[in-house]
Amino acid sequence: MRYQISLKKPLTHLVFIEYEIVSNNNHEEFQLPIWRPGRYEAANYSKNIQTITFEDEHGLPLSYKKTDHSTWRVASKSKKIIAKYTYYAHQMDAGNSWYSTDQLYLNFINCLIYSKNHLAEQCEVVLNIPENYKIACGLRQEGKVLFASDYHQLVDSPLIASPDLQQINYVSHDLPFKIWIQGKHSASIERLKVDFKKFTDYQIEVMSEFPEKEYHFLNQITSYKHYHGVEHANSTVICIGPGDKLGNDSLYQEFLGVSSHELFHAWNILKIRPKELLPYDFNKPASFDTGFVAEGFTTYYGDLFLAQSHVFDQDWYFEKLNKLLERHFHNHGRLTNSVIDSSIDLWVDGYQSGAPNKNSSIYVEGAMIALTLDLLIRKNTNSEASLDDVVRLLWQNFGKTEIGYSSHDVQKICEQFFGSDLTDYFEDYVYGVKPKERLLNDLLQHVGCQLKIDDNDNILEREFGIKAIISNDKLVITHIQPDSIGEELFSLRDKILKINDQSSTNNWLFSIKSDQIIFQIERNFEIVEFRADLKSESYFKKHTIEKLKNPTETQRDSFKNWLKSEF
């Protein structure tokens, strides 16, 4: 199979693509994927195809019929069929494509059509781009031509081409790693190189080997606030910004967090894959129940590796854990649908908020499962085993062998290292929605810590059970705790305009002393005013992990075994 990609009008974001196959059939069906790995919801990229035509090797047009939104059926007895189409590359994030005056950025899964009869054929991609453009891509490259063993490898290898690409090289366990940077930033190159090598070295040490011969971090540094990462076979794309803040600790830490997360995906989901995703079928719904492993385990390890490898200290790690706890305990969908059901529902629910308090998050709830399983195994084995052993065996049994795993397989491997039956745990916390407070506190004791529960400092959250963010100078309600006072008074997306005649965006939260509050809100474009009484209820509790003041020597040792640092 051969593709040619040509640049036309950058201000319109239109890329011209040709796709050529040698056909021995009376007809061929050309398709464009309806989803991409790493995002298990309908995407329907064909909406970005502006025009499409088909012709034979002599340039004569071939008739075709569009049989569904992403499939074109072409009848022909010609030896070659060539599809020619324009693609609208207009979305800058880690999973889509962008073409502008300064770069060409393509996730091939978005924009390269294919024929199922030719999926296994070698692919060649000819890039008709300016001579001064550098190319960042995990594929083999000869000049401006890329080569892939088949379509699957091709579309798992995103591309950035630009005259301004910055390249940083380092070696880990004798393997080459490359950090590519597109965009202006304030980060220290030397610090990046040292820190990336630290967590890369440690991940490979934990997993015993790396699944690829090289690896590429493709970074889109934006001038505006952004945060997104997507994993690929031997690469990842990360979009983060604003670039002028990347040298600051806060954004730098987020950058390394997502980079560590995406690197661990090289094992977990790219190779250790659920059975439902082997092989990928890009034109059928992708639905599976083990998102808690694919994304949850990866979320847990992405941050843990940064602490264990001493890129960041344990105070940073506890801050990340406490943020995880807030996202967990403040999402009441965790008590409605299990992480198993929520994983299956991703295809229809997507990654945005739908019905309030419906779903748990495969990232957050999966990370909570990983945390408790890790501590559970450590406690039951006196730190002789851990979740590390589980993921290593998943790699050996399912990743290296390319055999998909099931939730039952995960349970059995956990039981193998736990040393006993874990049916109750999986029924309660994986397949069920049992609250985790008591379980978590009990397990934290093993590593000399405890779960602390306090009242929320925010009056709206504590007294009314509503969470809000400032948007366009208005306080907009985003979450409401079930069975709270707020559920009786407010609706999602209500805009709080005034509280006791004060603008809601002023620093009023810690100054209200009256037991009665007058709210003025905008709801469905109408202004509504009502009174509300402060009561003795306490919602959206604050959960934090803190160290015990007088841990035993055993607890200190267990803590050190877990975080690889002194208590």
Side-chain angles (χ1 to χ4, degrees):
M1 299 191 294
R2 187 172 187 267
Y3 296 88
Q4 283 198 68
I5 297 176
S6 304
L7 308 184
K8 295 298 182 183
K9 300 176 181 180
L11 295 182
T12 63
H13 306 289
L14 291 174
V15 179
F16 184 69
I17 302 174
E18 293 188 22
Y19 171 51
E20 178 184 309
I21 60 171
V22 176
S23 177
N24 296 316
N25 304 304
N26 291 327
H27 72 271
E28 294 281 355
E29 284 195 341
F30 294 84
Q31 296 180 298
L32 191 67
I34 63 173
W35 64 279
R36 64 167 175 79
R39 195 78 170 184
Y40 306 100
E41 64 177 351
N44 298 317
Y45 298 113
S46 63
K47 63 180 177 287
N48 294 321
I49 291 184
Q50 183 197 52
T51 61
I52 189 168
T53 60
F54 297 89
E55 60 185 47
D56 63 16
E57 65 268 33
H58 304 295
L60 298 175
L62 297 173
S63 62
Y64 69 92
K65 180 179 180 181
K66 193 167 187 179
T67 56
D68 65 32
H69 51 77
S70 300
T71 305
W72 298 262
R73 184 184 177 94
V74 179
S76 174
K77 295 183 179 180
S78 303
K79 291 183 179 180
K80 289 184 180 180
I81 300 177
I82 303 168
K84 296 182 176 182
Y85 59 100
T86 51
Y87 188 85
Y88 184 41
H90 71 294
Q91 188 167 337
M92 173 54 77
D93 62 34
N96 281 280
S97 297
W98 175 267
Y99 169 47
S100 63
T101 55
D102 64 339
Q103 67 165 306
L104 173 66
Y105 161 48
L106 297 176
N107 271 284
F108 292 132
I109 191 76
N110 307 155
C111 60
L112 296 189
I113 63 175
Y114 68 93
S115 168
K116 280 191 173 181
N117 295 326
H118 302 266
L119 277 174
E121 293 180 10
Q122 290 186 342
C123 302
E124 177 182 302
V125 181
V126 179
L127 300 171
N128 297 317
I129 58 177
E131 281 299 318
N132 66 332
Y133 271 37
K134 304 170 189 175
I135 297 173
C137 184
L139 293 175
R140 181 170 67 87
Q141 176 184 339
E142 293 182 10
K144 305 298 184 186
V145 182
L146 305 175
F147 299 91
S149 59
D150 56 24
Y151 182 82
H152 287 280
Q153 184 191 25
L154 174 60
V155 296
D156 216 2
S157 305
L159 158 88
I160 300 176
S162 158
D164 304 313
L165 267 175
Q166 188 174 10
Q167 181 180 346
I168 306 167
N169 299 323
Y170 67 96
V171 175
S172 178
H173 293 261
D174 298 324
L175 298 173
F177 287 77
K178 298 181 181 181
I179 305 170
W180 299 91
I181 299 179
Q182 172 65 27
K184 297 178 180 179
H185 65 90
S186 60
S188 162
I189 297 301
E190 190 55 37
R191 185 184 182 190
L192 276 175
K193 188 173 181 178
V194 169
D195 288 344
F196 268 70
K197 179 172 170 53
K198 279 184 180 179
F199 74 72
T200 303
D201 286 347
Y202 190 79
Q203 288 200 26
I204 298 175
E205 179 184 330
V206 169
M207 296 302 292
S208 300
E209 58 185 319
F210 193 66
E212 301 293 340
K213 295 180 180 179
E214 63 180 49
Y215 194 83
H216 302 256
F217 294 91
L218 278 61
N219 298 292
Q220 290 280 5
I221 310 299
T222 61
S223 60
Y224 48 88
K225 186 177 181 180
H226 205 346
Y227 178 88
H228 189 209
V230 175
E231 66 274 8
H232 296 280
N234 72 342
S235 63
T236 178
V237 176
I238 293 168
C239 289
I240 196 163
D244 62 356
K245 304 293 185 185
L246 198 60
N248 299 355
D249 283 346
S250 178
L251 191 59
Y252 182 78
Q253 290 165 1
E254 292 296 316
F255 181 37
L256 263 67
V258 68
S259 299
S260 176
H261 175 108
E262 298 304 334
L263 181 61
F264 189 58
H265 270 313
W267 292 275
N268 190 25
I269 196 61
L270 271 309
K271 293 294 188 293
I272 308 168
R273 196 182 299 178
K275 59 182 177 62
E276 295 90 344
L277 299 183
L278 272 172
Y280 288 143
D281 189 330
F282 297 125
N283 284 81
K284 289 184 179 179
S287 185
F288 60 102
D289 67 3
T290 48
F292 74 96
V293 177
E295 291 294 356
F297 280 25
T298 307
T299 298
Y300 173 63
Y301 272 112
D303 290 336
L304 182 63
F305 284 144
L306 291 175
Q308 291 176 329
S309 61
H310 305 295
V311 172
F312 301 127
D313 60 23
Q314 60 184 250
D315 289 339
W316 170 86
Y317 183 62
F318 275 86
E319 184 179 331
K320 297 295 289 186
L321 275 184
N322 289 336
K323 185 64 177 178
L324 176 70
L325 296 187
E326 178 183 334
R327 294 175 66 194
H328 166 73
F329 288 111
H330 289 188
N331 174 20
H332 293 85
R334 65 187 167 86
L335 303 175
T336 304
N337 277 311
S338 71
V339 70
I340 289 282
D341 292 341
S342 297
S343 181
I344 295 171
D345 285 346
L346 273 177
W347 183 259
V348 293
D349 289 339
Y351 294 73
Q352 307 301 319
S353 297
N357 302 309
K358 177 191 175 184
N359 284 330
S360 56
S361 162
I362 61 171
Y363 296 84
V364 175
E365 302 312 312
M368 290 294 292
I369 290 169
L371 170 63
T372 52
L373 275 173
D374 194 15
L375 295 178
L376 196 66
I377 295 171
R378 290 174 183 276
K379 179 181 179 181
N380 206 51
T381 63
N382 294 318
S383 298
E384 292 296 322
S386 71
L387 194 65
D388 297 359
D389 298 289
V390 173
V391 294
R392 275 192 294 265
L393 193 55
L394 283 170
W395 162 242
Q396 293 295 329
N397 289 0
F398 299 98
K400 294 181 73 171
T401 58
E402 298 184 355
I403 299 173
Y405 67 86
S406 67
S407 55
H408 177 74
D409 295 320
V410 176
Q411 178 179 336
K412 288 303 178 185
I413 291 178
C414 288
E415 288 173 342
Q416 179 177 333
F417 292 104
F418 177 70
S420 186
D421 183 79
L422 283 171
T423 297
D424 289 344
Y425 173 91
F426 273 80
E427 289 296 326
D428 288 342
Y429 304 110
V430 179
Y431 296 97
V433 295
K434 186 175 180 178
K436 295 183 176 67
E437 288 92 335
R438 183 175 297 180
L439 169 72
L440 182 58
N441 187 59
D442 178 59
L443 294 174
L444 287 170
Q445 299 289 321
H446 173 66
V447 291
C449 299
Q450 64 181 352
L451 179 65
K452 186 181 179 185
I453 305 176
D454 297 305
D455 286 338
N456 198 315
D457 293 330
N458 184 298
I459 290 177
L460 284 185
E461 296 180 14
R462 182 181 71 241
E463 302 291 342
F464 295 99
I466 59 175
K467 295 173 77 75
I469 60 171
I470 295 177
S471 177
N472 296 324
D473 295 324
K474 294 180 180 179
L475 201 62
V476 182
I477 295 176
T478 57
H479 296 83
I480 302 176
Q481 182 165 325
D483 302 320
S484 67
I485 298 171
E487 194 175 48
E488 300 173 4
L489 300 173
F490 298 95
S491 176
L492 287 176
R493 292 176 290 280
D494 277 355
K495 299 178 179 67
I496 303 176
L497 306 179
K498 291 184 179 180
I499 298 175
N500 288 353
D501 290 327
Q502 297 181 56
S503 169
S504 65
T505 55
N506 288 340
N507 187 25
W508 51 266
L509 284 179
F510 301 100
S511 61
I512 294 176
K513 296 181 180 179
S514 171
D515 290 336
Q516 192 174 74
I517 299 177
I518 301 174
F519 288 95
Q520 184 186 87
I521 67 171
E522 178 186 323
R523 178 182 296 158
N524 298 327
F525 304 102
E526 294 184 357
I527 305 300
V528 180
E529 190 171 288
F530 56 82
R531 295 176 182 270
D533 295 327
L534 290 178
K535 298 182 180 180
S536 58
E537 299 289 342
S538 182
Y539 305 109
F540 285 122
K541 294 277 191 176
K542 182 180 180 182
H543 297 75
T544 55
I545 297 174
E546 63 176 20
K547 294 180 182 179
L548 298 177
K549 292 182 179 179
N550 297 299
T552 66
E553 197 61 36
T554 299
Q555 288 172 322
R556 287 177 178 273
D557 290 342
S558 299
F559 180 93
K560 183 177 180 180
N561 185 278
W562 176 41
L563 292 190
K564 312 306 178 190
S565 61
E566 298 293 339
F567 188 85

